[in-house]
């Protein structure tokens, strides 16, 4: 059956215009070589439509069963990407087709490119579908909650091999352009099916690609062609606005540039964007203000659990400079009464998470105030989820969470089910290692739900997870939502006028 399964993959590639009929024999021979198949036999081929994961599975199983690869999670991932790399057009072809679509419209270009990325299985649509998703109606809008189950769990054998793998400095990181076509290794994913699109941003050379495990629609990554560190400075606003000028249907934003409040990769300048509207983007404005140097820029604070200033203008240059001035002021701002310190022992703490979008033909930018100071009581960060929330969310609060989408760890998929079952059965949550960390939380919320029963149990648990995420965002806000916190926010706003 191996020949039939190879032909099935070839037929998939022809159907979705990854290759043409003229390529078939060359591709067949490349796949045979990769699978160590020496003879070809014409066999009946399953012609039913199937997801790419189902088409690849028998080929990967064959490779494992016949000693081509060792049967571990990492090896299977490296191998399925190697197979798809054989079907992936060269960069020049993908780039040509993207810009041909762009001549029709930016939407046509990204629609085509996202679809192509899914067909090449670079965007792992089958795995993304395994993520658990729901919404929570908070006081600040409908928050998105997702439990990330798309990335496969590491096999202990893979962990051991990764630890024994010699250190390699190529590519320098997972964002570098050198990843395109890269075969991968035990501690670095394969990227033979990656074809980023070169674009110009503010006169510099950048690339656009999608996230393999996107958390929202068309979750894209925009990265500098050079391996240079993340920096939030005056130029970042020009870059963000230039990008949305070219792709006005997308938002784009940057993680902050300091540890704790920054992203997971601070060593390579990059943005994240996509075709999605987060709760923060539609959150209402609260208090308008103005700066005399920028008469054409609308400014206001935003009703959001974190501390957000929104600016909007048709004048991209004036908007960029206004944003830069606010950033400069915030970098140096200290308010001891509000427990905000710009520096301690010469170490900077203030930065921002900027997010840009087009709205009604105007450029709009949200500046989210961030501070990464720590204390003996809060070593993970004063403006970080408090320890009572760590059973749900302990990781950094990055760009995606800031906008209102919780990215929660895969362990919660099974743990929340166990919590639900234990509560229905009247079991002691603290006696089970799978539920023990959630026992105090459940004891706190259950009195609010006398209606708890088998029909609504999981809905209630999920709603309470949403409430935890709302508190996570409140904890990350530098100016709290109470009267004192909002007064402190206004002190910062007033300071902008000197």
């Amino acid at each position: 059956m191996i020949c039939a399964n190879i032909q099935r993959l070839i037929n998939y590639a022809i159907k979705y215009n990854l290759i043409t009929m003229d390529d078939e024999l060359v591709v067949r021979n490349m796949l045979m070589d990769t699978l160590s198949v020496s003879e070809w036999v014409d066999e009946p081929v399953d012609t039913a439509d199937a997801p790419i994961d189902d088409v690849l599975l028998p080929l990967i199983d064959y490779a494992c069963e016949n000693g081509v690869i060792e049967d571990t999670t990492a090896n299977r991932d490296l191998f399925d990407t190697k197979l798809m790399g054989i079907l992936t057009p060269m960069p020049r072809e993908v780039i040509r087709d993207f810009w041909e679509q762009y001549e029709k419209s930016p939407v046509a270009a990204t629609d085509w490119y996202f679809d192509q990325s899914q067909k090449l299985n670079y965007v792992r649509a089958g795995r993304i579908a395994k993520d658990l998703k729901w919404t929570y109606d908070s006081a600040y809008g409908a928050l998105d909650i997702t439990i990330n189950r798309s990335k496969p769990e590491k096999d202990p054998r893979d962990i051991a091999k990764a630890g024994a793998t010699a250190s390699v400095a190529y590519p320098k990181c997972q964002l570098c352009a050198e990843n395109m076509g890269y075969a991968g290794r035990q501690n670095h994913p394969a990227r033979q099916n990656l074809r980023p699109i070169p674009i110009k941003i503010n006169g510099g050379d950048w690339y656009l690609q999608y996230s393999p495990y996107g958390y929202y629609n068309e979750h894209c990554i925009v990265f500098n062609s050079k391996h240079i560190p993340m920096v939030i400075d005056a130029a970042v606003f020009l870059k963000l606005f230039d990008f949305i000028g070219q792709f006005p249907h997308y938002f784009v934003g940057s993680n902050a540039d300091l540890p704790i409040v920054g992203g997971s990769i601070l060593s390579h300048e990059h943005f994240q964007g996509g075709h999605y509207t987060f709760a923060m983007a539609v959150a209402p404005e609260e208090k308008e203000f103005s700066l005399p140097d920028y008469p054409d820029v609308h400014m206001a604070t935003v009703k959001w659990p974190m501390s957000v200033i929104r600016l909007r203008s048709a004048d991209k240059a004036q908007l960029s400079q206004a944003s830069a001035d606010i950033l400069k002021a915030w970098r140096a701002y200290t308010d001891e009464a509000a427990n905000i310190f710009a520096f301690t022992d010469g170490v900077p703490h203030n930065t921002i998470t900027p997010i840009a979008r087009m709205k009604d033909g105007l450029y709009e930018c949200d500046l989210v105030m961030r501070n990464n100071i720590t204390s003996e009581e809060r070593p993970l960060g004063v403006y970080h989820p408090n320890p009572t929330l760590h059973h749900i969310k302990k990781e950094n609060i990055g760009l995606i969470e800031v906008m209102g989408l919780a990215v929660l760890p895969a362990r919660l998929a099974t743990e929340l089910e166990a919590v639900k079952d234990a509560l229905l059965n009247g079991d002691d949550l603290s006696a089970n290692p799978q539920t023990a960390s959630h026992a105090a939380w459940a004891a706190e919320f259950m009195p609010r739900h006398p209606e708890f029963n088998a029909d609504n149990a999981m809905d209630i648990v999920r709603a309470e997870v949403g409430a935890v995420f709302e508190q996570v965002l409140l904890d990350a806000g530098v100016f709290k939502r109470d009267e004192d916190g909002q007064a402190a926010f206004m002190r910062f706003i007033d300071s902008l006028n000197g």
Side-chain angles (χ1 to χ4, degrees):
M1 280 297 292
I2 184 59
C3 293
N5 288 326
I6 290 173
Q7 188 63 49
R8 191 183 186 200
L9 180 59
I10 292 170
N11 291 349
Y12 169 92
I14 291 172
K15 177 179 179 179
Y16 291 114
N17 298 314
L18 305 179
I19 65 173
T20 69
M21 293 288 291
D22 293 332
D23 303 320
E24 181 171 1
L25 292 178
V26 170
V27 169
R28 174 201 288 179
N29 288 327
M30 294 173 72
L31 290 171
M32 289 174 65
D33 178 61
T34 302
L35 287 154
S36 297
V37 175
S38 57
E39 293 189 28
W40 183 262
V41 179
D42 287 322
E43 299 169 334
V45 179
D46 185 350
T47 58
D49 284 339
I52 184 58
D53 289 338
D54 292 350
V55 177
L56 289 170
L57 181 60
L59 299 174
I60 302 165
D61 287 344
Y62 176 90
C64 294
E65 293 161 4
N66 289 272
V68 178
I69 62 171
E70 183 183 1
D71 190 2
T72 70
T73 302
N75 286 329
R76 293 174 76 94
D77 271 9
L78 291 169
F79 192 75
D80 78 3
T81 306
K82 185 175 185 177
L83 294 177
M84 292 306 300
I86 294 170
L87 312 175
T88 302
M90 292 298 286
R92 64 178 180 274
E93 301 170 88
V94 177
I95 294 165
R96 176 201 64 208
D97 291 347
F98 177 88
W99 291 111
E100 283 181 357
Q101 293 294 326
Y102 190 89
E103 289 181 5
K104 300 176 185 176
S105 73
V107 174
T110 55
D111 281 354
W112 175 85
Y113 184 44
F114 186 67
D115 182 62
Q116 181 86 339
S117 298
Q118 289 179 302
K119 287 171 179 172
L120 290 169
N121 208 34
Y122 182 75
V123 172
R124 299 267 188 168
R127 292 184 183 175
I128 293 170
K130 297 176 182 178
D131 288 347
L132 301 178
K133 298 181 179 182
W134 67 93
T135 59
Y136 171 70
D137 291 329
S138 77
Y140 306 93
L143 303 179
D144 292 304
I145 315 295
T146 181
I147 295 178
N148 177 18
R149 298 197 304 175
S150 53
K151 291 184 181 179
E153 294 186 17
K154 291 185 181 295
D155 186 303
R157 292 169 294 173
D158 293 325
I159 295 172
K161 285 185 176 181
T165 301
S167 178
V168 177
Y170 179 89
K172 291 185 178 69
C173 76
Q174 292 188 27
L175 289 178
C176 287
E178 288 81 2
N179 281 279
M180 68 175 93
Y182 185 62
R185 53 185 189 270
Q186 287 293 325
N187 57 2
H188 193 106
R191 292 290 185 254
Q192 290 101 323
N193 55 350
L194 169 61
R195 297 292 184 265
I197 303 297
I199 60 176
K200 287 284 187 181
I201 296 183
N202 198 34
D205 293 325
W206 288 61
Y207 286 93
L208 167 68
Q209 69 181 59
Y210 291 103
S211 170
Y213 300 102
Y215 297 123
Y216 51 84
N217 188 46
E218 296 177 40
H219 180 175
C220 71
I221 301 170
V222 186
F223 61 98
N224 198 313
S225 65
K226 299 175 183 177
H227 183 75
I228 58 175
M230 294 272 293
V231 177
I232 301 297
D233 57 11
V236 78
F237 304 108
L238 294 170
K239 296 170 187 175
L240 295 175
F241 297 146
D242 191 13
F243 178 82
I244 60 172
Q246 297 177 64
F247 300 94
H249 58 300
Y250 273 15
F251 81 89
V252 69
S254 175
N255 271 306
D257 56 351
L258 294 179
I260 296 178
V261 296
S264 57
I265 302 179
L266 296 179
S267 62
H268 195 128
E269 184 181 24
H270 69 285
F271 307 139
Q272 295 183 74
H275 199 183
Y276 191 72
T277 302
F278 290 89
M280 193 181 78
V282 294
E285 297 177 354
E286 283 191 312
K287 297 182 180 179
E288 294 186 14
F289 66 96
S290 61
L291 298 179
D293 290 343
Y294 304 105
D296 297 325
V297 179
H298 172 84
M299 304 178 184
T301 61
V302 178
K303 184 183 178 183
W304 190 245
M306 298 183 70
S307 309
V308 184
I309 293 174
R310 179 168 293 161
L311 301 92
R312 186 166 53 251
S313 180
D315 188 331
K316 181 169 60 174
Q318 194 173 134
L319 183 61
S320 297
Q321 190 57 54
S323 300
D325 282 359
I326 293 173
L327 168 64
K328 181 180 179 181
W330 175 243
R331 290 278 196 194
Y333 188 75
T334 290
D335 184 342
E336 293 188 18
N339 197 33
I340 294 170
F341 297 88
F343 298 90
T344 55
D345 299 325
V347 177
H349 298 300
N350 288 347
T351 183
I352 64 169
T353 299
I355 300 104
R357 65 187 75 88
M358 297 293 293
K359 184 175 287 186
D360 300 325
L362 301 176
Y363 292 91
E364 184 173 274
C365 186
D366 285 348
L367 309 179
V368 187
M369 309 290 108
R370 311 300 304 275
N371 181 289
N372 77 342
I373 199 167
T374 61
S375 68
E376 288 187 15
E377 298 78 20
R378 302 286 289 275
L380 298 181
V382 172
Y383 302 103
H384 185 77
N386 77 74
T388 67
L389 309 178
H390 289 182
H391 66 106
I392 297 293
K393 180 67 174 176
K394 185 177 181 180
E395 300 78 14
N396 292 2
I397 305 306
L399 171 69
I400 295 171
E401 284 92 358
V402 162
M403 295 185 290
L405 191 159
V407 180
L408 303 179
R411 62 177 171 80
L412 289 176
T414 52
E415 288 179 8
L416 295 180
E417 281 287 342
V419 167
K420 177 204 71 174
D421 291 342
L423 292 173
L424 287 171
N425 296 330
D427 296 338
D428 180 5
L429 272 69
S430 62
N432 182 346
Q434 204 168 42
T435 59
S437 67
H438 305 295
W441 170 59
E444 184 273 329
F445 75 68
M446 280 300 287
R448 295 197 296 270
H449 297 288
E451 77 282 13
F452 193 91
N453 61 57
D455 293 329
N456 63 20
M458 185 49 74
D459 289 338
I460 289 172
V461 170
R462 287 185 170 187
E464 291 295 337
V465 170
V468 168
F469 180 54
E470 181 178 9
Q471 185 59 50
V472 162
L473 295 181
L474 289 165
D475 285 356
V478 294
F479 298 110
K480 301 308 179 187
R481 292 295 305 176
D482 57 21
E483 185 176 344
D484 289 344
Q486 292 304 289
F489 200 175
M490 287 303 103
R491 288 199 297 272
F492 172 66
I493 298 296
D494 292 341
S495 76
L496 297 173
N497 282 309

